[in-house]
Amino acid sequence: MNELEPEHLKSAGLKSTLPRLKVLDLFKNGQERHMSAEDVYQLLRESGDNVGLATVYRVLTQFEQAGLLVRHNFEGGKSVFELNEGTHHDHIVCMQCGHVEEFYDSAIESRQKKIAAELGFTIHEHSLQIYGDCTKTKCPHRR
Amino acid sequence: MNELEPEHLKSAGLKSTLPRLKVLDLFKNGQERHMSAEDVYQLLRESGDNVGLATVYRVLTQFEQAGLLVRHNFEGGKSVFELNEGTHHDHIVCMQCGHVEEFYDSAIESRQKKIAAELGFTIHEHSLQIYGDCTKTKCPHRR
DNA sequence: AATGCAAATGAGAATGATTATCGTTCGCGG
DNA sequence: CCGCGAACGATAATCATTCTCATTTGCATT
């Protein structure tokens, strides 16, 4: 169990409050890498911390804007967040069990840049997800 | 103004009803290629057709399952549909004006297949969007 | 062309995710 | 230790979408 790190919040221009530290700690030291607002809310609740759902949503959005987290809009309507570790990557999601794997492919990245340029766009960000079924042997995850 | 085409519905196993014909006509002969359920609802309403919003949602989903339309989940929480013309492509969306352009890149497609295989996934579908700003000269679209 | 029935529709309620409101509490500089 | 504005928690509100159910319609049959 590592200690909390208020300096990360400070440097992001956010004052160091209990809910923010707890959410950040969940992402840094928790077992789940990809979590929705509801996931975070439940996990905090289970560990005895009484944090409001509205606060969870606020904090996640602030962290995203501060660059601490990255938001993903997978299918299913809910946003999923993960720690921003500087290394961009895309996702492949199992439609059976919800398991998520990350990947990065420089060929895809460079093609995207080229395409955007050809079409006269200044690229801001992109979103690439592959949806499929992971092989039965590794599939038994939760949904 | 082309005539409606009930045989498309027949062959899709859907009986030919007024709402379905109107929605299909909007996609085939309308000016917008990419439309949300709300867009379709408003456009039908403006042209004097009284179609319920629930019906629009139902019909869009049925058309998607029948393979007549393709659904896209762009950022912003709402689904957008377009006519399925057999040619797969991805999208680049202007964050300023909402303008959408389509593109297809075989290099990206093949890389995706390879990645899925390496990670042990059977690929079902994928979703790739690039978000950016289109150059000011072409930007003046509606949002 | 009249009849019957299951499928489809439309209006509005219900749902799920997310955001806004507002009175109370907390972090932190003085 | 005080005070103030930022942050919080509970809850109401909003948005997109789905569900419910009474009514209407497509269409095959007399």
Side-chain angles (χ1 to χ4, degrees), chain B residues 3 8 25-26 48 50 56 70 72-73 81 102 111 116 132 143:
Chain B
E3 62 180 328
H8 281 223
D25 180 61
L26 234 196
N50 184 19
V56 171
V70 181
H72 300 289
N73 296 298
F81 297 81
E102 304 175 344
R111 293 297 301 174
R143 152 107 291 189

Side-chain angles (χ1 to χ4, degrees), chain A residues 105 111 122 124-125 129 131, chain B residues 105 111 124-125 127 131:
Chain A
D105 187 89
R111 294 296 303 173
T122 302
H124 246 274
E125 59 176 317
Q129 292 89 234
Y131 298 96
Chain B
D105 188 89
R111 293 297 301 174
H124 245 273
E125 59 175 318
S127 159
Y131 298 97

Side-chain angles (χ1 to χ4, degrees), chain A residues 27 48 64 83 99 110-111 116 126:
Chain A
F27 276 97
E64 181 201 6
L83 214 46
H99 177 60
S110 63
R111 294 296 303 173
H126 74 262

Side-chain angles (χ1 to χ4, degrees), chain B:
Chain B
M1 189 69 57
N2 315 34
E3 62 180 328
L4 305 178
E5 305 167 50
E7 64 280 6
H8 281 223
L9 297 179
K10 289 261 180 52
S11 62
L14 296 170
K15 75 168 62 167
S16 166
T17 70
L18 252 350
R20 300 213 258 239
L21 289 170
K22 287 172 182 167
V23 171
L24 188 53
D25 180 61
L26 234 196
F27 276 97
K28 283 190 178 298
N29 304 314
Q31 35 283 297
E32 292 299 334
R33 174 159 178 75
H34 300 89
M35 290 182 280
S36 67
E38 193 66 30
D39 293 337
V40 171
Y41 176 66
Q42 292 302 336
L43 286 172
L44 289 182
R45 165 145 305 211
E46 284 167 19
S47 56
D49 299 309
N50 184 19
V51 184
L53 180 56
T55 300
V56 171
Y57 274 101
R58 266 187 304 239
V59 169
L60 290 176
T61 300
Q62 291 161 346
F63 283 4
E64 182 201 5
Q65 292 171 340
L68 293 172
L69 298 178
V70 181
R71 177 198 301 260
H72 300 289
N73 296 298
F74 293 165
E75 284 188 6
K78 50 176 58 176
S79 291
V80 173
F81 297 81
E82 73 178 309
L83 215 47
N84 181 2
E85 287 163 332
T87 60
H88 164 73
H89 53 253
D90 296 307
H91 296 87
I92 181 163
V93 184
C94 176
M95 299 177 79
Q96 302 305 311
C97 67
H99 177 61
V100 178
E101 296 235 19
E102 304 175 344
F103 67 87
Y104 174 84
D105 188 89
S106 57
I108 290 179
E109 300 294 324
S110 62
R111 293 297 301 174
Q112 288 184 31
K113 290 197 192 77
K114 185 170 186 196
I115 290 162
E118 284 171 358
L119 293 175
F121 277 69
T122 302
I123 193 167
H124 245 273
E125 59 175 318
H126 75 263
S127 159
L128 167 59
Q129 290 90 234
I130 301 177
Y131 298 97
D133 300 329
C134 58
T135 45
K136 39 282 152 204
T137 53
K138 56 195 308 196
C139 192
H141 287 268
R142 58 176 174 6
R143 152 107 291 189

Side-chain angles (χ1 to χ4, degrees), chain A:
Chain A
M1 190 70 55
N2 316 31
E3 62 180 327
L4 306 179
E5 306 167 47
E7 64 279 6
H8 281 223
L9 297 179
K10 289 262 181 52
S11 62
L14 296 169
K15 79 168 57 167
S16 166
T17 70
L18 252 348
R20 297 215 258 240
L21 290 170
K22 287 171 182 168
V23 171
L24 188 54
D25 180 60
L26 233 197
F27 276 97
K28 284 188 178 298
N29 305 314
Q31 35 282 297
E32 291 300 333
R33 173 159 179 76
H34 302 89
M35 289 182 281
S36 68
E38 193 66 30
D39 293 338
V40 171
Y41 177 66
Q42 291 303 337
L43 286 173
L44 289 183
R45 166 146 303 210
E46 283 167 19
S47 56
D49 299 308
N50 184 19
V51 184
L53 180 56
T55 300
V56 170
Y57 274 100
R58 265 188 305 241
V59 169
L60 289 176
T61 300
Q62 291 161 346
F63 283 4
E64 181 201 6
Q65 292 171 341
L68 293 172
L69 296 179
V70 182
R71 178 196 301 258
H72 300 290
N73 297 299
F74 293 164
E75 282 188 6
K78 49 176 59 178
S79 292
V80 173
F81 297 81
E82 72 178 308
L83 214 46
N84 181 1
E85 286 164 332
T87 59
H88 164 74
H89 54 254
D90 296 307
H91 297 87
I92 183 163
V93 183
C94 176
M95 299 176 79
Q96 301 306 310
C97 67
H99 177 60
V100 178
E101 296 234 20
E102 304 176 344
F103 67 88
Y104 174 84
D105 187 89
S106 57
I108 289 180
E109 299 294 323
S110 63
R111 294 296 303 173
Q112 288 184 33
K113 289 197 191 74
K114 186 171 186 197
I115 290 163
E118 283 171 0
L119 294 174
F121 278 68
T122 302
I123 194 167
H124 246 274
E125 59 176 317
H126 74 262
S127 158
L128 167 59
Q129 292 89 234
I130 300 177
Y131 298 96
D133 300 330
C134 58
T135 44
K136 40 283 153 206
T137 53
K138 55 195 309 198
C139 191
H141 287 269
R142 61 186 164 359
R143 152 113 293 185

